[in-house]
Amino acid sequence: MIQTHILGFPRVGLQRELKFALERHWRGELGAEELEATGRALRRRHWEQQRDAGLGFLTVGDFAYYDQVAHHIQLFGCEPSRFGFQGSEPSLERYFTMARGVAPASAHPHDEACGCSSTGTHALEMTKWFDTNYHYLVPEFEPGTRFALAPERLLGELGEAQAMGRPVKPVLVGPLTFLWLGKAKAEGFDRLALLDELLPLYVDLLTRLAAAGVQWVQLDEPILGLDLPPEWARAFEPAYQCLAAVDVSILLTTYFAPLRDHLSLACRLPVAGLHVDAVRAPDELPAVLDALPPDRELSVGILDGRNIWRADLDAALAAVRPALERRSGRLWLAPSCSLLHVPLSLREDAALDPDLRSWVAGATEKLAELQVLKQALLKGDAAVAGELAHARAALAARRGSPCVKNAAVAQRLARLPSNADHRAGAFPQRQRLQRDRLKLPPLPATTIGSFPQTPSIRAARAAHKRGELSAEGYREAMQQEIARAVAAQEALGLDVLVHGEAERNDMVEYFAELLQGYAFSANGWVQSYGSRCVKPPLLFGDVSRPAPMTVGWARHAQSLTKRPMKGMLTGPITMLQWSFVRDDQPRADTALQLALAVRDEVQDLEAAGIAIIQVDEPALREGLPLRRAEWPAYLAWASRAFRVATSGVRDDTQIHTHMCYAEFNDILPAIASLDADVITIETSRSDMELLRGFGDFRYPNEIGPGVYDIHSPRVPGRAEMLRLLRKAAEVVPADRLWVNPDCGLKTRAWPETTAALREMVLAAKQLRDELAL
Ligand code: GLN
Ligand code: ZN
């Protein structure tokens, strides 16, 4: 028997219906009932697609109004007590409170009796779901955490799906992954200690699902693809023994990484089926076939659930046929992971050119691919000859397309001199030359790049896009915005200025639009968190830079001031991480092509007289493989790409980089190996703790630790910033310190921006005096 299924499906809808319904609901314009109706309609539509595609199951439980982990927090009744829920509030209201927090009470007349805190309650923390760009809400665990099953929502959705008359497979985050994803709120508390309390609820839930007529339940345990502490790995067998008591078949799913040292564990667990990611770990399939007992079902994740390319169906068939044979014709086929990470559909996308459209596959198209695979395996290739021929033709067209292959790029890479990835002089020499040239005061004050994206900037961009504002008119409008930002910075007394990035819609899209090898979809939305969706550009071909991308803006900005103006670029790794990239060459090769394009821009900025050039790499860390053993290889090619991008300049040109949103202490050697003259990093939220790592490691170059958090409109006081700066000066010699905010200011408004920067500049001056620099 061949079964097809999916691990999960996109939820927001092709036109982002869920996003707009959510936002209207939060503004008070759409009632909870109507929001639920939108959710129901979307679920139904997506199940109809699964049914029409002939899948063996409809998958239930993957839908979420904000995030599926947050739904599990309610399902298992472990909403943190700090929210002060009475239990009488509607569940959806509690859910959005956890997801979005409670604003400070100033908004309503506040008295003793209202019981709400005047400081508000912050939302659950959000963090990346494994190595994806999806963010989940982090469960909070403490010794007092108690669980109580609240299965109504899940059972309700189950009923909706069952009404469609097909077998239904609910999906749950497995107990160990659920605990792993949470965070211990008490010092030294081991959240694994909660497992014994949690397991009976899983048993109870599985029992109820079985009673509702469910045969298969999918339990996601992707942590089996991580380096786990031994006690976590050891906890799997007893936990699953306990679940095995229920008369329901469990499909245990793993994805995103090879199983490696957990392979035999995964194959031995007392479950009815195992799903493995044969896209991320194609070489493990034979070992899984050897280790998995014959009475278990094997689900092979054969279609890439993380990328948008149409599958090579012949290759997929060749990969699964031996498995089918070994397992005497019994096999399940699926995408590698939930399809949440790809757009709902791309085949009809109006913005893609017809060739490209035929090369890609969104979630909808992947459902169809699954069916073709199934038919080919059941009835032979001839039964689906037409579909296979189409897929082959598209693949051949893609491989042979002159838009994909650019001989000049290949030649350039082949001839890249061996010294292209390092600067001419060593840092001490560069530092001397840069100091002579730039003549900056000690503790130079600067910002990270963007200034507020005001309504007038957005309006001008929208008008330009609609064709109502000419290219010339748009350029003038942006130049005025730049002039405003420059004047504001001069008035504030900042030492190194930025042009403010008014002309950039997004730090990746802006460059992608100006590079060859990139395309853009109209509806290729992917959920990032809650109602927030991103539309990653599609990097489909060899990358090259036909013309300078920022030089005109930078030259204009520099002409308005005598102070140094930083050129501002997005680095190759961030371009790579935040795009859908090609699967027909290693990521390292694509990164290097991007690096060459950035390198050209860096050199052109230098030639235009720009003395300081910042190359942002906020996504460097998130590119890290899930397994530590693979970190060195990634860090080697990623840092080389950065150096290739930035090493083509003279010693007296100063290269900056910027990083944020992450812990960096465990990759400090790699960060140092970037050999940027200055790094600015987000540190204020961790109270400079991050910087301690840089101090201990003796980070050799200059550092600008962020002295204030830009994520809130709050204006920090001078004393606060001084305290952080003094703390920084304890671990980094003051003559290597810069003063700057945590990150760019694009999400802020002008009044708070100038107020905060004024204090920041004064804090820098005061510390200069104190240290008598
Ligand atoms: N230069 C960018 C900005 O200031 C950096 C953004 C980022 O780090 N994410 O907005
Ligand atoms: Zn940043």
Side-chain angles (χ1 to χ4, degrees):
M1 226 245 309
I2 295 175
Q3 186 76 280
T4 51
H5 73 118
I6 55 168
L7 278 57
F9 206 63
R11 4 169 132 119
V12 292
L14 198 60
Q15 309 297 332
R16 289 178 294 161
E17 295 91 319
L18 185 61
K19 170 196 175 69
F20 298 115
L22 280 167
E23 290 172 355
R24 287 180 57 210
H25 176 65
W26 296 334
R27 286 196 301 267
E29 297 163 15
L30 188 79
E33 257 318 300
E34 292 155 289
L35 176 63
E36 298 260 20
T38 305
R40 231 174 0 252
L42 283 166
R43 289 193 292 272
R44 187 178 172 88
R45 199 189 303 159
H46 297 153
W47 289 325
E48 280 166 0
Q49 282 188 257
Q50 294 168 40
R51 179 196 64 196
D52 296 347
L55 296 195
F57 297 103
L58 309 181
T59 293
V60 168
D62 55 338
F63 180 84
Y65 284 100
Y66 202 101
D67 160 50
Q68 75 272 13
V69 178
H71 278 297
H72 281 69
I73 295 173
Q74 289 204 317
L75 175 63
F76 295 115
C78 51
E79 297 166 345
S81 56
R82 67 184 177 82
F83 290 101
F85 297 138
Q86 306 297 310
S88 52
E89 306 89 344
S91 70
L92 206 57
E93 192 181 307
R94 299 198 311 271
Y95 175 83
F96 288 133
T97 300
M98 290 195 297
R100 310 180 66 229
V102 185
S106 54
H108 78 158
H110 185 61
D111 59 38
E112 297 282 292
C114 74
C116 73
S117 91
S118 54
T119 54
T121 306
H122 60 91
L124 293 176
E125 219 176 277
M126 219 164 36
T127 195
K128 279 181 188 276
W129 177 251
F130 298 85
D131 60 348
T132 71
N133 263 326
Y134 176 80
H135 300 70
Y136 71 94
L137 291 166
V138 180
E140 294 176 4
F141 298 126
E142 52 195 3
T145 298
R146 291 289 166 273
F147 301 103
L149 195 64
E152 299 73 21
R153 180 172 293 278
L154 181 65
L155 293 175
E157 291 179 11
L158 177 67
E160 289 169 27
Q162 284 174 323
M164 299 184 60
R166 288 295 163 102
V168 172
K169 175 192 60 167
V171 41
L172 298 169
V173 176
L176 284 143
T177 294
F178 182 61
L179 290 176
W180 176 268
L181 294 174
K183 186 174 168 176
K185 289 308 261 189
E187 187 82 33
F189 177 64
D190 173 14
R191 57 207 193 285
L192 188 56
L194 294 171
L195 183 61
D196 287 344
E197 286 208 45
L198 181 58
L199 282 173
L201 283 89
Y202 272 88
V203 170
D204 190 2
L205 181 59
L206 293 177
T207 309
R208 289 193 199 213
L209 292 172
V214 164
Q215 195 203 339
W216 280 93
V217 179
Q218 171 185 328
L219 287 186
D220 286 357
E221 294 283 14
I223 64 169
L224 285 166
L226 305 181
D227 299 313
L228 287 179
E231 61 279 15
W232 283 81
R234 275 199 302 269
F236 267 90
E237 277 197 274
Y240 278 83
Q241 274 310 340
C242 177
L243 303 186
V246 185
D247 188 17
V248 73
S249 301
I250 294 176
L251 175 71
L252 182 93
T253 63
T254 64
Y255 41 84
F256 297 153
L259 288 163
R260 300 255 164 83
D261 49 330
H262 301 138
L263 189 143
S264 77
L265 168 65
C267 291
R268 184 166 80 227
L269 288 174
V271 289
L274 175 70
H275 169 89
V276 294
D277 183 337
V279 174
R280 285 277 171 99
D283 305 338
E284 265 187 1
L285 197 51
V288 171
L289 286 168
D290 286 343
L292 193 70
D295 61 334
R296 311 288 159 82
E297 299 294 343
L298 174 63
S299 163
V300 181
I302 193 68
L303 299 175
D304 194 346
R306 293 285 296 274
N307 212 337
I308 44 97
W309 302 107
R310 187 170 184 163
D312 179 343
L313 296 176
D314 293 317
L317 288 169
V320 295
R321 277 204 166 104
L324 189 67
E325 207 160 293
R326 271 291 287 278
R327 304 198 47 87
S328 326
R330 255 175 63 218
L331 197 66
W332 292 25
L333 296 177
S336 56
C337 59
S338 167
L339 295 172
L340 182 65
H341 310 291
V342 292
L344 181 56
S345 174
L346 287 169
R347 202 53 68 73
E348 310 283 326
D349 195 278
L352 296 175
D353 87 30
D355 279 345
L356 192 52
R357 235 185 274 158
S358 72
W359 303 346
V360 293
T364 304
E365 291 81 46
K366 288 178 197 278
L367 298 183
E369 289 180 331
L370 270 182
Q371 277 328 94
V372 177
L373 290 176
K374 177 176 171 179
Q375 296 311 320
L377 292 174
L378 280 178
K379 303 179 188 152
D381 290 4
V384 278
E387 287 89 339
L388 290 176
H390 277 132
R392 266 177 220 135
L395 195 69
R398 184 179 156 209
R399 287 203 176 119
S401 167
C403 307
V404 171
K405 287 265 177 282
N406 179 338
V409 174
Q411 256 172 35
R412 198 172 161 202
L413 279 167
R415 292 192 196 136
L416 195 64
S418 61
N419 65 358
D421 70 339
H422 55 261
R423 303 281 297 267
F427 175 70
Q429 177 186 334
R430 303 198 307 261
Q431 190 181 38
R432 219 174 323 111
L433 294 169
Q434 291 163 18
R435 284 187 172 167
D436 288 348
R437 179 177 180 194
L438 296 167
K439 303 199 169 41
L440 296 171
L443 299 165
T446 190
T447 62
I448 305 304
S450 56
F451 271 102
Q453 283 271 329
T454 58
S456 70
I457 295 178
R458 288 179 209 280
R461 181 152 41 244
H464 177 46
K465 264 208 161 143
R466 284 195 306 268
E468 290 159 17
L469 181 64
S470 68
E472 186 55 24
Y474 177 66
R475 197 166 56 89
E476 274 167 22
M478 292 304 113
Q479 285 188 340
Q480 271 169 28
E481 298 288 347
I482 291 171
R484 172 189 185 175
V486 172
Q489 294 170 82
E490 289 213 314
L492 286 163
L494 287 155
D495 302 300
V496 171
L497 309 195
V498 297
H499 78 292
E501 303 180 24
E503 80 289 3
R504 302 189 190 170
N505 38 356
D506 171 274
M507 66 185 290
V508 169
E509 196 177 31
Y510 174 82
F511 291 98
E513 279 176 349
L514 297 169
L515 290 170
Q516 216 109 73
Y518 263 111
F520 304 85
S521 66
N523 284 313
W525 296 102
V526 179
Q527 188 180 16
S528 173
Y529 58 86
S531 67
R532 191 168 153 72
C533 300
V534 295
K535 190 150 62 74
L538 277 56
L539 194 164
F540 67 91
D542 286 336
V543 174
S544 62
R545 188 202 67 147
M549 305 181 283
T550 64
V551 175
W553 302 113
R555 200 181 261 136
H556 169 71
Q558 183 66 83
S559 76
L560 302 170
T561 180
K562 293 212 149 48
R563 302 184 192 202
M565 174 63 57
K566 272 197 275 193
M568 193 59 60
L569 305 173
T570 301
I573 303 304
T574 300
M575 295 291 297
L576 184 81
Q577 276 304 120
W578 293 351
S579 307
F580 280 119
V581 300
R582 47 201 295 195
D583 60 352
D584 57 350
Q585 67 182 19
R587 289 171 75 81
D589 295 1
T590 306
L592 202 55
Q593 295 184 0
L594 286 160
L596 287 179
V598 178
R599 181 182 174 95
D600 292 345
E601 190 70 15
V602 168
Q603 288 177 328
D604 283 349
L605 284 168
E606 177 183 67
I610 302 297
I612 306 183
I613 300 161
Q614 178 174 315
V615 178
D616 291 326
E617 285 291 22
L620 177 73
R621 192 184 191 290
E622 67 185 56
L624 278 177
L626 292 170
R627 292 284 193 150
R628 244 176 210 270
E630 280 147 29
W631 284 18
Y634 162 75
L635 289 169
W637 64 253
S639 58
R640 174 158 186 263
F642 180 90
R643 289 194 307 274
V644 166
T646 53
S647 294
V649 287
R650 300 192 309 260
D651 283 348
D652 67 350
T653 294
Q654 189 170 65
I655 296 291
H656 289 217
T657 188
H658 166 73
M659 292 179 197
C660 53
Y661 314 129
E663 284 277 341
F664 295 106
N665 285 343
D666 49 3
I667 57 163
L668 280 174
I671 291 179
S673 81
L674 301 181
D675 200 23
D677 298 302
V678 182
I679 179 170
T680 56
I681 43 164
E682 172 187 343
T683 39
S684 82
R685 283 194 288 188
S686 70
D687 202 51
M688 294 284 153
E689 271 320 299
L690 179 64
L691 204 57
R692 199 159 294 285
F694 278 76
D696 294 345
F697 170 73
R698 300 191 173 284
Y699 181 75
N701 303 2
E702 302 189 6
I703 311 185
V707 294
Y708 81 87
D709 179 12
I710 53 84
H711 295 90
S712 105
R714 197 178 79 85
V715 175
R718 191 181 322 169
E720 210 176 297
M721 290 190 269
L722 253 175
R723 187 183 69 79
L724 290 177
L725 276 175
R726 290 197 191 103
K727 229 176 144 173
E730 281 167 21
V731 288
V732 176
D735 68 343
R736 283 200 259 131
L737 268 184
W738 287 62
V739 179
N740 46 261
D742 264 347
C743 191
L745 297 157
K746 60 175 164 254
T747 57
R748 299 271 58 86
W750 272 105
E752 74 239 24
T753 298
T754 39
L757 291 176
R758 186 170 299 122
E759 294 302 303
M760 187 190 86
V761 169
L762 290 172
K765 288 206 169 112
Q766 188 168 332
L767 191 64
R768 269 175 219 157
D769 293 345
E770 267 174 35
L771 300 174
L773 287 165

